[in-house]
PDB file of all heavy atoms in Angstrom:
ATOM      1  N   THR A 372     -34.522  -3.539 -32.523  1.00 92.00           N
ATOM      2  CA  THR A 372     -34.861  -3.525 -33.946  1.00 92.00           C
ATOM      3  C   THR A 372     -36.365  -3.368 -34.162  1.00 92.00           C
ATOM      4  O   THR A 372     -36.786  -2.730 -35.126  1.00 92.00           O
ATOM      5  CB  THR A 372     -34.339  -4.779 -34.677  1.00 92.00           C
ATOM      6  OG1 THR A 372     -34.837  -5.953 -34.047  1.00 92.00           O
ATOM      7  CG2 THR A 372     -32.823  -4.797 -34.706  1.00 92.00           C
ATOM      8  N   ARG A 373     -37.166  -3.913 -33.269  1.00 95.00           N
ATOM      9  CA  ARG A 373     -38.617  -3.700 -33.372  1.00 95.00           C
ATOM     10  C   ARG A 373     -38.971  -2.233 -33.186  1.00 95.00           C
ATOM     11  O   ARG A 373     -39.840  -1.700 -33.874  1.00 95.00           O
ATOM     12  CB  ARG A 373     -39.364  -4.538 -32.341  1.00 95.00           C
ATOM     13  CG  ARG A 373     -39.564  -5.957 -32.767  1.00 95.00           C
ATOM     14  CD  ARG A 373     -40.430  -6.701 -31.776  1.00 95.00           C
ATOM     15  NE  ARG A 373     -40.609  -8.077 -32.189  1.00 95.00           N
ATOM     16  CZ  ARG A 373     -41.044  -9.031 -31.395  1.00 95.00           C
ATOM     17  NH1 ARG A 373     -41.343  -8.763 -30.131  1.00 95.00           N
ATOM     18  NH2 ARG A 373     -41.185 -10.261 -31.843  1.00 95.00           N
ATOM     19  N   GLY A 374     -38.325  -1.586 -32.249  1.00 96.00           N
ATOM     20  CA  GLY A 374     -38.559  -0.158 -32.021  1.00 96.00           C
ATOM     21  C   GLY A 374     -38.201   0.674 -33.243  1.00 96.00           C
ATOM     22  O   GLY A 374     -38.950   1.571 -33.645  1.00 96.00           O
ATOM     23  N   ILE A 375     -37.052   0.373 -33.833  1.00 96.00           N
ATOM     24  CA  ILE A 375     -36.631   1.080 -35.049  1.00 96.00           C
ATOM     25  C   ILE A 375     -37.617   0.808 -36.176  1.00 96.00           C
ATOM     26  O   ILE A 375     -38.032   1.720 -36.898  1.00 96.00           O
ATOM     27  CB  ILE A 375     -35.202   0.669 -35.464  1.00 96.00           C
ATOM     28  CG1 ILE A 375     -34.186   1.055 -34.390  1.00 96.00           C
ATOM     29  CG2 ILE A 375     -34.833   1.277 -36.811  1.00 96.00           C
ATOM     30  CD1 ILE A 375     -33.987   2.536 -34.210  1.00 96.00           C
ATOM     31  N   ASP A 376     -38.033  -0.443 -36.316  1.00 96.00           N
ATOM     32  CA  ASP A 376     -38.980  -0.815 -37.365  1.00 96.00           C
ATOM     33  C   ASP A 376     -40.310  -0.075 -37.188  1.00 96.00           C
ATOM     34  O   ASP A 376     -40.889   0.420 -38.163  1.00 96.00           O
ATOM     35  CB  ASP A 376     -39.194  -2.330 -37.352  1.00 96.00           C
ATOM     36  CG  ASP A 376     -39.938  -2.822 -38.564  1.00 96.00           C
ATOM     37  OD1 ASP A 376     -39.516  -2.480 -39.692  1.00 96.00           O
ATOM     38  OD2 ASP A 376     -40.941  -3.538 -38.407  1.00 96.00           O
ATOM     39  N   GLN A 377     -40.787   0.030 -35.962  1.00 97.00           N
ATOM     40  CA  GLN A 377     -42.020   0.766 -35.702  1.00 97.00           C
ATOM     41  C   GLN A 377     -41.869   2.243 -36.050  1.00 97.00           C
ATOM     42  O   GLN A 377     -42.791   2.863 -36.590  1.00 97.00           O
ATOM     43  CB  GLN A 377     -42.444   0.602 -34.244  1.00 97.00           C
ATOM     44  CG  GLN A 377     -42.947  -0.777 -33.913  1.00 97.00           C
ATOM     45  CD  GLN A 377     -43.173  -0.971 -32.427  1.00 97.00           C
ATOM     46  OE1 GLN A 377     -42.841  -0.125 -31.604  1.00 97.00           O
ATOM     47  NE2 GLN A 377     -43.736  -2.114 -32.075  1.00 97.00           N
ATOM     48  N   ALA A 378     -40.708   2.789 -35.746  1.00 97.00           N
ATOM     49  CA  ALA A 378     -40.451   4.192 -36.081  1.00 97.00           C
ATOM     50  C   ALA A 378     -40.470   4.393 -37.597  1.00 97.00           C
ATOM     51  O   ALA A 378     -41.053   5.374 -38.087  1.00 97.00           O
ATOM     52  CB  ALA A 378     -39.104   4.639 -35.505  1.00 97.00           C
ATOM     53  N   VAL A 379     -39.856   3.487 -38.336  1.00 97.00           N
ATOM     54  CA  VAL A 379     -39.839   3.570 -39.796  1.00 97.00           C
ATOM     55  C   VAL A 379     -41.265   3.540 -40.337  1.00 97.00           C
ATOM     56  O   VAL A 379     -41.643   4.365 -41.181  1.00 97.00           O
ATOM     57  CB  VAL A 379     -38.989   2.433 -40.418  1.00 97.00           C
ATOM     58  CG1 VAL A 379     -39.232   2.319 -41.913  1.00 97.00           C
ATOM     59  CG2 VAL A 379     -37.516   2.656 -40.127  1.00 97.00           C
ATOM     60  N   HIS A 380     -42.067   2.616 -39.833  1.00 97.00           N
ATOM     61  CA  HIS A 380     -43.447   2.520 -40.309  1.00 97.00           C
ATOM     62  C   HIS A 380     -44.250   3.767 -39.955  1.00 97.00           C
ATOM     63  O   HIS A 380     -45.051   4.250 -40.769  1.00 97.00           O
ATOM     64  CB  HIS A 380     -44.119   1.265 -39.752  1.00 97.00           C
ATOM     65  CG  HIS A 380     -43.618   0.012 -40.375  1.00 97.00           C
ATOM     66  ND1 HIS A 380     -43.875  -0.333 -41.682  1.00 97.00           N
ATOM     67  CD2 HIS A 380     -42.844  -0.979 -39.880  1.00 97.00           C
ATOM     68  CE1 HIS A 380     -43.297  -1.482 -41.964  1.00 97.00           C
ATOM     69  NE2 HIS A 380     -42.649  -1.893 -40.888  1.00 97.00           N
ATOM     70  N   GLY A 381     -44.039   4.311 -38.775  1.00 98.00           N
ATOM     71  CA  GLY A 381     -44.725   5.533 -38.377  1.00 98.00           C
ATOM     72  C   GLY A 381     -44.344   6.723 -39.243  1.00 98.00           C
ATOM     73  O   GLY A 381     -45.204   7.506 -39.660  1.00 98.00           O
ATOM     74  N   LEU A 382     -43.059   6.847 -39.531  1.00 98.00           N
ATOM     75  CA  LEU A 382     -42.596   7.944 -40.385  1.00 98.00           C
ATOM     76  C   LEU A 382     -43.106   7.800 -41.812  1.00 98.00           C
ATOM     77  O   LEU A 382     -43.452   8.790 -42.459  1.00 98.00           O
ATOM     78  CB  LEU A 382     -41.070   8.022 -40.368  1.00 98.00           C
ATOM     79  CG  LEU A 382     -40.458   8.505 -39.064  1.00 98.00           C
ATOM     80  CD1 LEU A 382     -38.954   8.287 -39.068  1.00 98.00           C
ATOM     81  CD2 LEU A 382     -40.796   9.960 -38.805  1.00 98.00           C
ATOM     82  N   GLU A 383     -43.176   6.572 -42.303  1.00 97.00           N
ATOM     83  CA  GLU A 383     -43.716   6.333 -43.645  1.00 97.00           C
ATOM     84  C   GLU A 383     -45.196   6.697 -43.710  1.00 97.00           C
ATOM     85  O   GLU A 383     -45.662   7.275 -44.692  1.00 97.00           O
ATOM     86  CB  GLU A 383     -43.507   4.881 -44.067  1.00 97.00           C
ATOM     87  CG  GLU A 383     -42.202   4.638 -44.769  1.00 97.00           C
ATOM     88  CD  GLU A 383     -42.085   5.432 -46.059  1.00 97.00           C
ATOM     89  OE1 GLU A 383     -42.838   5.196 -47.015  1.00 97.00           O
ATOM     90  OE2 GLU A 383     -41.208   6.308 -46.104  1.00 97.00           O
ATOM     91  N   THR A 384     -45.939   6.380 -42.658  1.00 97.00           N
ATOM     92  CA  THR A 384     -47.344   6.744 -42.591  1.00 97.00           C
ATOM     93  C   THR A 384     -47.494   8.266 -42.617  1.00 97.00           C
ATOM     94  O   THR A 384     -48.333   8.812 -43.348  1.00 97.00           O
ATOM     95  CB  THR A 384     -47.994   6.159 -41.320  1.00 97.00           C
ATOM     96  OG1 THR A 384     -47.885   4.739 -41.364  1.00 97.00           O
ATOM     97  CG2 THR A 384     -49.449   6.556 -41.203  1.00 97.00           C
ATOM     98  N   ALA A 385     -46.669   8.944 -41.847  1.00 97.00           N
ATOM     99  CA  ALA A 385     -46.699  10.401 -41.816  1.00 97.00           C
ATOM    100  C   ALA A 385     -46.320  10.988 -43.172  1.00 97.00           C
ATOM    101  O   ALA A 385     -46.954  11.926 -43.664  1.00 97.00           O
ATOM    102  CB  ALA A 385     -45.750  10.920 -40.734  1.00 97.00           C
ATOM    103  N   ARG A 386     -45.294  10.417 -43.794  1.00 97.00           N
ATOM    104  CA  ARG A 386     -44.858  10.919 -45.105  1.00 97.00           C
ATOM    105  C   ARG A 386     -45.964  10.771 -46.139  1.00 97.00           C
ATOM    106  O   ARG A 386     -46.247  11.697 -46.899  1.00 97.00           O
ATOM    107  CB  ARG A 386     -43.605  10.164 -45.566  1.00 97.00           C
ATOM    108  CG  ARG A 386     -43.005  10.722 -46.859  1.00 97.00           C
ATOM    109  CD  ARG A 386     -41.884   9.830 -47.369  1.00 97.00           C
ATOM    110  NE  ARG A 386     -42.379   8.547 -47.829  1.00 97.00           N
ATOM    111  CZ  ARG A 386     -42.958   8.339 -49.028  1.00 97.00           C
ATOM    112  NH1 ARG A 386     -43.132   9.337 -49.873  1.00 97.00           N
ATOM    113  NH2 ARG A 386     -43.362   7.135 -49.373  1.00 97.00           N
ATOM    114  N   LEU A 387     -46.621   9.631 -46.152  1.00 97.00           N
ATOM    115  CA  LEU A 387     -47.704   9.410 -47.118  1.00 97.00           C
ATOM    116  C   LEU A 387     -48.866  10.363 -46.881  1.00 97.00           C
ATOM    117  O   LEU A 387     -49.493  10.833 -47.838  1.00 97.00           O
ATOM    118  CB  LEU A 387     -48.179   7.964 -47.066  1.00 97.00           C
ATOM    119  CG  LEU A 387     -47.184   6.944 -47.621  1.00 97.00           C
ATOM    120  CD1 LEU A 387     -47.693   5.533 -47.378  1.00 97.00           C
ATOM    121  CD2 LEU A 387     -46.927   7.179 -49.098  1.00 97.00           C
ATOM    122  N   ALA A 388     -49.148  10.674 -45.629  1.00 97.00           N
ATOM    123  CA  ALA A 388     -50.208  11.638 -45.331  1.00 97.00           C
ATOM    124  C   ALA A 388     -49.850  13.014 -45.897  1.00 97.00           C
ATOM    125  O   ALA A 388     -50.697  13.680 -46.510  1.00 97.00           O
ATOM    126  CB  ALA A 388     -50.433  11.727 -43.820  1.00 97.00           C
ATOM    127  N   ILE A 389     -48.604  13.422 -45.740  1.00 96.00           N
ATOM    128  CA  ILE A 389     -48.167  14.722 -46.263  1.00 96.00           C
ATOM    129  C   ILE A 389     -48.166  14.705 -47.789  1.00 96.00           C
ATOM    130  O   ILE A 389     -48.507  15.701 -48.424  1.00 96.00           O
ATOM    131  CB  ILE A 389     -46.773  15.095 -45.708  1.00 96.00           C
ATOM    132  CG1 ILE A 389     -46.827  15.241 -44.189  1.00 96.00           C
ATOM    133  CG2 ILE A 389     -46.244  16.364 -46.343  1.00 96.00           C
ATOM    134  CD1 ILE A 389     -47.688  16.371 -43.686  1.00 96.00           C
ATOM    135  N   VAL A 390     -47.794  13.597 -48.401  1.00 96.00           N
ATOM    136  CA  VAL A 390     -47.834  13.485 -49.866  1.00 96.00           C
ATOM    137  C   VAL A 390     -49.261  13.713 -50.361  1.00 96.00           C
ATOM    138  O   VAL A 390     -49.482  14.460 -51.317  1.00 96.00           O
ATOM    139  CB  VAL A 390     -47.303  12.105 -50.334  1.00 96.00           C
ATOM    140  CG1 VAL A 390     -47.653  11.844 -51.787  1.00 96.00           C
ATOM    141  CG2 VAL A 390     -45.795  12.026 -50.139  1.00 96.00           C
ATOM    142  N   LYS A 391     -50.233  13.102 -49.698  1.00 95.00           N
ATOM    143  CA  LYS A 391     -51.631  13.274 -50.098  1.00 95.00           C
ATOM    144  C   LYS A 391     -52.074  14.721 -49.952  1.00 95.00           C
ATOM    145  O   LYS A 391     -52.756  15.262 -50.831  1.00 95.00           O
ATOM    146  CB  LYS A 391     -52.536  12.364 -49.268  1.00 95.00           C
ATOM    147  CG  LYS A 391     -52.386  10.897 -49.593  1.00 95.00           C
ATOM    148  CD  LYS A 391     -53.248  10.052 -48.664  1.00 95.00           C
ATOM    149  CE  LYS A 391     -52.991   8.579 -48.858  1.00 95.00           C
ATOM    150  NZ  LYS A 391     -53.750   7.767 -47.891  1.00 95.00           N
ATOM    151  N   VAL A 392     -51.704  15.355 -48.856  1.00 94.00           N
ATOM    152  CA  VAL A 392     -52.045  16.768 -48.642  1.00 94.00           C
ATOM    153  C   VAL A 392     -51.439  17.619 -49.753  1.00 94.00           C
ATOM    154  O   VAL A 392     -52.108  18.474 -50.338  1.00 94.00           O
ATOM    155  CB  VAL A 392     -51.553  17.250 -47.260  1.00 94.00           C
ATOM    156  CG1 VAL A 392     -51.625  18.759 -47.143  1.00 94.00           C
ATOM    157  CG2 VAL A 392     -52.335  16.571 -46.153  1.00 94.00           C
ATOM    158  N   CYS A 393     -50.181  17.379 -50.051  1.00 92.00           N
ATOM    159  CA  CYS A 393     -49.481  18.141 -51.089  1.00 92.00           C
ATOM    160  C   CYS A 393     -50.160  17.947 -52.447  1.00 92.00           C
ATOM    161  O   CYS A 393     -50.361  18.914 -53.190  1.00 92.00           O
ATOM    162  CB  CYS A 393     -48.019  17.701 -51.146  1.00 92.00           C
ATOM    163  SG  CYS A 393     -46.963  18.751 -52.141  1.00 92.00           S
ATOM    164  N   GLN A 394     -50.540  16.723 -52.760  1.00 92.00           N
ATOM    165  CA  GLN A 394     -51.213  16.452 -54.035  1.00 92.00           C
ATOM    166  C   GLN A 394     -52.552  17.180 -54.113  1.00 92.00           C
ATOM    167  O   GLN A 394     -52.884  17.760 -55.145  1.00 92.00           O
ATOM    168  CB  GLN A 394     -51.429  14.949 -54.220  1.00 92.00           C
ATOM    169  CG  GLN A 394     -50.160  14.202 -54.523  1.00 92.00           C
ATOM    170  CD  GLN A 394     -50.344  12.689 -54.509  1.00 92.00           C
ATOM    171  OE1 GLN A 394     -51.322  12.163 -53.978  1.00 92.00           O
ATOM    172  NE2 GLN A 394     -49.380  11.975 -55.085  1.00 92.00           N
ATOM    173  N   ARG A 395     -53.317  17.162 -53.023  1.00 92.00           N
ATOM    174  CA  ARG A 395     -54.607  17.866 -53.014  1.00 92.00           C
ATOM    175  C   ARG A 395     -54.430  19.369 -53.213  1.00 92.00           C
ATOM    176  O   ARG A 395     -55.176  19.989 -53.956  1.00 92.00           O
ATOM    177  CB  ARG A 395     -55.357  17.597 -51.707  1.00 92.00           C
ATOM    178  CG  ARG A 395     -56.056  16.288 -51.716  1.00 92.00           C
ATOM    179  CD  ARG A 395     -57.009  16.177 -50.527  1.00 92.00           C
ATOM    180  NE  ARG A 395     -56.948  14.809 -50.066  1.00 92.00           N
ATOM    181  CZ  ARG A 395     -56.486  14.398 -48.899  1.00 92.00           C
ATOM    182  NH1 ARG A 395     -56.072  15.254 -48.016  1.00 92.00           N
ATOM    183  NH2 ARG A 395     -56.451  13.123 -48.602  1.00 92.00           N
ATOM    184  N   ILE A 396     -53.441  19.932 -52.539  1.00 90.00           N
ATOM    185  CA  ILE A 396     -53.183  21.366 -52.675  1.00 90.00           C
ATOM    186  C   ILE A 396     -52.797  21.697 -54.110  1.00 90.00           C
ATOM    187  O   ILE A 396     -53.287  22.671 -54.693  1.00 90.00           O
ATOM    188  CB  ILE A 396     -52.086  21.829 -51.691  1.00 90.00           C
ATOM    189  CG1 ILE A 396     -52.614  21.787 -50.261  1.00 90.00           C
ATOM    190  CG2 ILE A 396     -51.582  23.224 -52.042  1.00 90.00           C
ATOM    191  CD1 ILE A 396     -51.551  22.014 -49.209  1.00 90.00           C
ATOM    192  N   GLU A 397     -51.908  20.887 -54.693  1.00 87.00           N
ATOM    193  CA  GLU A 397     -51.476  21.146 -56.061  1.00 87.00           C
ATOM    194  C   GLU A 397     -52.614  20.976 -57.053  1.00 87.00           C
ATOM    195  O   GLU A 397     -52.739  21.740 -57.996  1.00 87.00           O
ATOM    196  CB  GLU A 397     -50.292  20.251 -56.412  1.00 87.00           C
ATOM    197  CG  GLU A 397     -49.028  20.651 -55.673  1.00 87.00           C
ATOM    198  CD  GLU A 397     -47.877  19.676 -55.841  1.00 87.00           C
ATOM    199  OE1 GLU A 397     -48.107  18.528 -56.241  1.00 87.00           O
ATOM    200  OE2 GLU A 397     -46.736  20.087 -55.550  1.00 87.00           O
TER     201      GLU A 397
END
């Protein structure tokens, strides 16, 4: 469960980075 939790947090970090990039482009 710790491994899954770390994966979730990593993916959320990546998603937020892409959201910021998308907002800047727009």
Side-chain angles (χ1 to χ4, degrees):
T372 56
R373 278 186 181 164
I375 297 292
D376 191 52
Q377 289 172 353
V379 167
H380 288 291
L382 290 169
E383 271 298 294
T384 300
R386 186 188 68 80
L387 290 174
I389 297 295
V390 166
K391 290 176 187 176
V392 168
C393 191
Q394 288 172 343
R395 280 191 217 114
I396 290 171
E397 290 172 342

